[in-house]
Amino acid sequence: MNTSVWIDEYQKNSRFGLKGKLLLKKTSIFQEIIVIENEEYGKALMLDGCWMTSSKDEKYYHECLVHPALSSLKKISNILIIGGGDGGTARECLKYPEVSNIDLVEIDKEVIKVSKEFLKEIGGNAWNDNRLSIYINDGVKWVETMKSNFYDVIFIDCSDPSELSNLLFSENFYKQCKRILTKKGILATQSESPESFKKIHINILKALKNTFKVSKTMYSFVPIYPSGIWSWTFASDNESDFLKPNCKKILEIEKQCEIWNINYQDGAFKMMPNKISQEINSL
Ligand code: SPD
């Protein structure tokens, strides 16, 4: 019997699909969760109709979210991950021995449960590392109630904007993030696709520019995401050594990465499409 099915993400009258064996389809109190096994991309997770990650292409995403920020900082003790329930962002952070504490705040405990069961290779040993603490909580509330000046880095590893995640893309939320960051702290967020989510992408960049002294966006690929092109934006109030690579760290981390290296990063920070920079500059 052929049990293969097509699962598609629909965006702007286009669909982006994977064919394979359906491993799971359920609805948590927050969202629909699908896991499919595809020959090319391995096990892939979809939340409410949007592809989140796959075991074979996730490094394109997680390495780009984490290493530009962490490889540039001299001090990294406390990290906050908002979302990130598949464990990939935590796994990348734990490559830095100086990280002493990661708070991972995920709203949907089912995402963590499903990831641990079906996408084991993504979180890997991170789930057992005692530097990682998991909180099932609303990221917006977490940030609002956290003491000031605490985290060295905040990673926003959230789903695409929806009723559930809209506030994570707002200027007010970024202001609260800035409050709980240390002076040299960096906020790193996935900032959607300049192609499939152009308006949202521009709004994120604009909101970060309004909130922090410096911000910078890199563009690269995530094969299973709609249109393939994706972006990550970094922001800080520390202008002097913002994202300046710390060479000693880079050599160590590059060896442990499948995608990210300093040349890849340099190129990716120069990839802003004209149509995006024109709109940003006209704001
Ligand atoms: N369209 C996908 C946007 C998803 C960003 N977060 C993915 C979670 C991977 N840790």
Side-chain angles (χ1 to χ4, degrees):
M1 192 175 69
N2 183 359
T3 52
S4 261
V5 291
W6 274 100
I7 302 285
D8 297 319
E9 171 172 349
Y10 292 81
Q11 297 295 349
K12 299 214 288 200
N13 298 316
S14 309
R15 59 186 190 188
F16 303 89
L18 293 177
K19 187 183 178 196
K21 189 173 168 198
L22 186 64
L23 301 181
L24 176 84
K25 184 172 181 174
K26 71 192 289 189
T27 306
S28 72
I29 54 167
F30 294 106
Q31 54 203 338
E32 182 189 63
I33 304 177
I34 291 177
V35 181
I36 188 174
E37 181 155 27
N38 167 276
E39 227 175 275
E40 206 56 41
Y41 291 106
K43 290 179 201 135
L45 172 71
M46 175 180 262
L47 298 180
D48 266 352
C50 296
W51 291 116
M52 287 298 118
T53 195
S54 83
S55 55
K56 298 233 178 107
D57 86 335
E58 54 94 10
K59 296 201 168 82
Y60 280 101
Y61 174 88
H62 292 117
E63 291 181 6
C64 284
L65 177 64
V66 171
H67 299 304
L70 294 198
S71 69
S72 72
L73 282 174
K74 291 204 175 71
K75 174 185 171 282
I76 337 166
S77 306
N78 292 304
I79 290 177
L80 172 63
I81 300 173
I82 294 172
D86 53 57
T89 297
R91 179 202 67 216
E92 290 305 313
C93 292
L94 289 164
K95 288 179 175 167
Y96 294 77
E98 66 267 47
V99 168
S100 54
N101 167 53
I102 302 175
D103 293 335
L104 187 155
V105 180
E106 165 64 58
I107 199 162
D108 191 348
K109 68 171 192 279
E110 279 305 312
V111 173
I112 296 186
K113 192 168 164 242
V114 165
S115 301
K116 283 183 174 174
E117 187 177 342
F118 293 93
L119 302 157
K120 285 191 184 67
E121 53 275 71
I122 297 187
N125 292 332
W127 298 124
N128 306 318
D129 194 306
N130 57 19
R131 293 176 288 166
L132 176 67
S133 303
I134 293 165
Y135 300 92
I136 304 303
N137 212 326
D138 177 340
V140 174
K141 288 200 186 114
W142 183 275
V143 167
E144 274 170 7
T145 51
M146 173 55 58
K147 64 180 173 208
S148 301
N149 200 26
F150 182 66
Y151 291 110
D152 300 299
V153 189
I154 299 176
F155 291 105
I156 305 173
D157 182 12
C158 58
S159 326
D160 307 293
S162 67
E163 240 175 77
L164 189 61
S165 61
N166 270 340
L167 291 177
L168 298 174
F169 297 89
S170 68
E171 207 168 302
N172 267 345
F173 174 68
Y174 295 143
K175 286 203 173 98
Q176 285 301 317
C177 288
K178 171 168 149 146
R179 181 186 62 76
I180 66 171
L181 277 171
T182 52
K183 269 213 172 83
K184 293 204 161 190
I186 297 180
L187 178 138
T189 183
Q190 72 91 353
S191 43
E192 301 289 324
S193 166
E195 179 57 31
S196 296
F197 297 94
K198 182 172 166 234
K199 195 161 173 267
I200 297 161
H201 172 67
I202 288 175
N203 286 343
I204 297 170
L205 271 53
K206 185 180 156 197
L208 286 170
K209 205 173 161 191
N210 289 342
T211 309
F212 289 90
K213 286 192 183 147
V214 270
S215 61
K216 222 171 157 188
T217 301
M218 65 185 275
Y219 296 86
S220 187
F221 323 94
V222 182
I224 68 161
Y225 287 178
S227 78
I229 184 164
W230 210 255
S231 74
W232 300 261
T233 301
F234 304 84
S236 178
D237 267 356
N238 169 35
E239 288 170 289
S240 59
D241 44 6
F242 179 54
L243 299 180
K244 278 204 190 117
N246 175 329
C247 297
K248 230 169 106 191
K249 274 191 199 179
I250 281 168
L251 292 177
E252 246 342 281
I253 299 297
E254 277 185 349
K255 280 189 244 159
Q256 302 173 51
C257 284
E258 199 169 287
I259 306 296
W260 179 89
N261 60 54
I262 200 63
N263 288 332
Y264 189 90
Q265 167 176 322
D266 282 351
F269 274 122
K270 292 179 186 143
M271 283 261 296
M272 184 176 276
N274 277 352
K275 64 178 181 183
I276 303 295
S277 44
Q278 279 155 5
E279 281 200 45
I280 299 283
N281 295 333
S282 72
L283 293 170

